[in-house]
Amino acid sequence: MYIAVDSFSGCSPAAVAGPFIGLLWLVVDGGGFAEFVAVTLLAAVTALWLSAIGGSDPS
């Protein structure tokens, strides 16, 4: 299975928000490192999913 590298370039800015959301959650909830990693991954995957179902049409 071949996946073009260009197909991920449009989604990467959305995944950048993941660590910031993880840090915000860490401050609000006061969890540990495992919770930070879990929230960061969940936020990044959710951002990628939303950009994928939104499509690439900006209008």
Side-chain angles (χ1 to χ4, degrees):
M1 183 168 132
Y2 175 74
I3 299 175
V5 175
D6 293 336
S7 66
F8 291 110
S9 63
C11 298
S12 10
V16 171
F20 296 109
I21 294 171
L23 283 174
L24 177 65
W25 189 269
L26 192 68
V27 169
V28 170
D29 192 43
F33 181 72
E35 188 171 347
F36 166 73
V37 170
V39 170
T40 299
L41 289 174
L42 183 63
V45 168
T46 303
L48 286 172
W49 176 72
L50 287 173
S51 66
I53 65 167
S56 61
D57 185 18
S59 58

